[in-house]
Amino acid sequence: MRQLKLKLLAVAAAAVWTGSVSAQSVEVLHWWTSGGEAAALGVLKKTLEADGIKWNDMPVAGGGGEQAMTALRARVTAGNPPTAVQMLGFDIQDWAKQGALGDLNALAAKEGWDKTVPAALQRFSKYNGKWIAAPVNVHSTNWVWANKAVLDKAGVKDLPKTWDEFMAAADKIQKAGLVALAHGGQPWQEATMFDGVVLSTGGIDFYRKALVELDDKSLNSPTMEKVFARMSQLRKLVDKDFSGRDWNLATAMVISGKAGFQIMGDWAKGEFINAKKVPGKDFVCFRVPGSQGMVSFNSDQFAMFKVGADKADSQMKLAKAIMDPAFQSAFNVVKGSVPARTDVPNKAFDDCGKKGMADLAEANTKNTLIGSMAHGHSVPASIKNAFYDVITRHFNGDLNDKQAVAELAKAAKN
Ligand code: GAL
C-alpha cells in the first residue's frame, strides 16, 4: 500500500511540474467575426473541445484580415505568438521565411496531405518542402450573389452571361427602384471585385501576366484600361452609403432584397446559409459574367507558430482536426467555401457548394485556377496593398482610368 501511495504522489508531482494537469489548449487568432464566419468557426471549436482541447479565441475583426495581421505582428514582436493563425497565401510564406512557423511534416506524412491537397494550395502550405500550415478550405472571389425576388421584380429573366448582359440587368434593377450592386467601400472589397473584372475583361492569361507575373506590357495595356472603365461602371451601381460598409452588411442588403447583386467571395454564401436562405429559391450564385470556367481562389490556412513543448501536442491535434475529411465537409458547408482536400464527397453541399467544387476541379485540370490578388494569393502583401490603394482611389474618383493604369504599373514595381 505504501508503495502505491508513493507512486501516486510521484505522478501527481510530475503532472504539476509539466503542467499537464491543466487542460490542453490552443490560442487561435482569426478574423471570422460575421454571422456565417462565426458559425463555421464554431464547428472547429466544438471539434477541438470534443477532443479535450480548450479553445482560447483571439478574434480580430476586419474583413480580408489586414487588422488581424497587424495584431499578429504585435504579438510576435512581444515574443508571444498565438498557437495558430488564420492566414492567406503569401503572408504564410513571409512568416515561414522569418523562421516563425513550426514543422507539421511528421503529421502531414502520417495523414497523406501531399496526396489530397491540390498543388495550388501546397504552394502556400509548405516552405522549403516543409508543411507549415494546415489549409481548411478553398474560397473563390469571382462570384456574383443575387436575390431571386429582386431579379423577378426587375424583369431579369435569365442570369447574365456577359458583362453587357450584367450591366443591362443592373439597369433594370435600378429602374425597379432597388440598389443594383450592394458594396462595402473598403479597399479589400474593391480589390475583390477587381479580381473578377480582370478575369472577365482579359481572361486567365491576362490575369496571370498582369497580376501574378507583373508583366509591364499587360499592366500598361488597353485591356487594363478597359478593366478600370468597367470598375467605373460598377461605381455607378452602388448606393450613396456604400463607403466604409462591412462586407457582410452589403451581403445583408442582398439577403433582405434591398439590393440585387453583390460581387464577393463565397464567404458571402455563409451569410445566406446563416440567414437560412436556400440557393435557387431565395438567391442564386453565378460567376462574374465573362469569367465562367475560371476560378480566382484563396485558401484559409492555419499557420502553426513555433510554440513550447507544452503546447506542441495540442497544436498537432488542432492541425489534425483541421485536415480531417469529415470536419472539412462540416466546416465548409457552413463557411460557403469548398474543402481543401480533394477526397471529400460533395453530398452535404447545396447547389452553390456543389458548383464551387465542380468549378474548382475543372479549373484545376484546365489550368484556369489562379490565386486571388485581392486575398493574398497572387503577389506579396507589399504589392497587394499598393494595388489596393490604386484600385480604391480610382473607385472613389481620385484617378481616371488612364491614371489608374499608370499607377497600377508603378505599384507593381514597388
Ligand atoms: C477572406 C477570408 C475569408 C473571409 C473573408 C472576409 O480573406 O479568406 O475566410 O474571412 O476574408 O473577411
Side-chain angles (χ1 to χ4, degrees):
M1 189 54 183
R2 193 173 129 68
Q3 284 299 332
L4 178 61
K5 267 197 183 133
L6 279 175
K7 216 159 177 272
L8 283 176
L9 261 178
V11 167
V16 170
W17 179 70
T18 55
S20 62
V21 283
S22 64
Q24 289 195 312
S25 69
V26 290
E27 184 188 24
V28 182
L29 190 158
H30 62 87
W31 61 91
W32 287 335
T33 54
S34 79
E37 291 172 329
L41 190 66
V43 179
L44 182 54
K45 288 181 187 175
K46 277 199 218 58
T47 306
L48 280 211
E49 277 159 5
D51 206 7
I53 308 238
K54 187 176 173 313
W55 178 282
N56 295 327
D57 204 27
M58 188 185 169
V60 178
E66 290 311 304
Q67 293 82 345
M69 293 301 103
T70 302
L72 171 61
R73 281 189 286 275
R75 283 290 298 269
V76 175
T77 307
N80 172 25
T83 318
V85 179
Q86 175 196 355
M87 215 179 270
L88 298 170
F90 278 88
D91 290 342
I92 302 171
Q93 295 296 304
D94 286 348
W95 282 106
K97 218 174 287 170
Q98 294 171 49
L101 304 185
D103 181 350
L104 303 176
N105 258 10
L107 180 63
K110 198 155 75 64
E111 307 273 319
W113 295 357
D114 283 283
K115 288 192 291 294
T116 57
V117 176
L121 268 62
Q122 290 194 36
R123 184 251 177 280
F124 296 107
S125 316
K126 296 163 91 167
Y127 184 76
N128 287 344
K130 206 170 68 169
W131 282 86
I132 36 103
V136 71
N137 66 8
V138 184
H139 274 302
S140 53
T141 58
N142 59 316
W143 283 105
V144 181
W145 309 94
N147 179 298
K148 207 154 171 334
V150 169
L151 298 188
D152 296 345
K153 183 173 173 224
V156 177
K157 298 229 176 341
D158 306 310
L159 292 184
K161 295 252 176 309
T162 66
W163 186 263
D164 292 343
E165 286 175 8
F166 185 60
M167 287 299 124
D171 186 49
K172 283 184 176 173
I173 294 169
Q174 286 185 317
K175 288 201 168 71
L178 295 161
V179 175
L181 182 68
H183 174 63
Q186 294 169 348
W188 77 269
Q189 294 190 58
E190 271 106 50
T192 301
M193 295 202 292
F194 192 80
D195 276 354
V197 177
V198 171
L199 285 174
S200 167
T201 312
I204 197 79
D205 292 337
F206 174 74
Y207 186 107
R208 186 171 285 118
K209 278 200 167 316
L211 300 184
V212 178
E213 295 165 12
L214 303 180
D215 169 61
D216 190 59
K217 278 198 304 307
S218 305
L219 285 161
N220 247 316
S221 66
T223 305
M224 192 54 85
E225 192 173 335
K226 190 174 172 190
V227 167
F228 280 107
R230 287 179 165 184
M231 291 297 288
S232 299
Q233 286 181 292
L234 293 180
R235 174 65 183 78
K236 296 189 180 76
L237 303 181
V238 303
D239 65 298
K240 63 177 179 33
D241 302 322
F242 80 98
S243 184
R245 179 185 288 134
D246 283 337
W247 69 271
N248 53 311
L249 300 182
T251 311
M253 290 168 69
V254 181
I255 290 172
S256 67
K258 286 197 186 68
F261 297 130
Q262 183 183 22
I263 298 174
M264 185 45 75
D266 42 17
W267 44 90
K269 218 275 295 258
E271 299 302 299
F272 284 94
I273 300 300
N274 197 45
K276 309 273 180 276
K277 299 300 179 183
V278 178
K281 179 171 140 318
D282 304 310
F283 70 99
V284 284
C285 54
F286 57 97
R287 291 293 176 186
V288 171
S291 77
Q292 295 93 324
M294 306 171 220
V295 174
S296 46
F297 82 93
N298 62 288
S299 169
D300 286 310
Q301 305 209 31
F302 282 95
M304 301 291 164
F305 276 74
K306 273 186 183 142
V307 290
D310 62 322
K311 283 256 176 272
D313 181 46
S314 43
Q315 186 179 63
M316 282 309 131
K317 281 185 178 165
L318 170 62
K320 186 171 162 47
I322 287 165
M323 296 305 285
D324 172 70
F327 166 74
Q328 290 247 335
S329 180
F331 172 86
N332 283 289
V333 160
V334 179
K335 185 70 173 68
S337 35
V338 302
R341 299 176 61 115
T342 51
D343 58 352
V344 175
N346 70 358
K347 61 180 188 302
F349 290 80
D350 63 25
D351 289 350
C352 287
K354 285 189 169 82
K355 175 172 172 45
M357 290 172 84
D359 288 353
L360 179 68
E362 179 201 15
N364 211 9
T365 48
K366 279 173 43 188
N367 194 25
T368 53
L369 174 65
I370 199 141
S372 158
M373 177 283 293
H375 291 266
H377 282 70
S378 84
V379 287
S382 59
I383 297 182
K384 178 197 78 171
N385 292 330
F387 281 175
Y388 275 16
D389 185 50
V390 175
I391 295 163
T392 202
R393 282 165 58 205
H394 171 267
F395 198 77
N396 291 308
D398 301 337
L399 296 171
N400 66 32
D401 300 349
K402 281 190 185 331
Q403 288 167 331
V405 169
E407 288 296 309
L408 198 76
K410 225 163 74 184
K413 297 189 175 75
N414 180 308

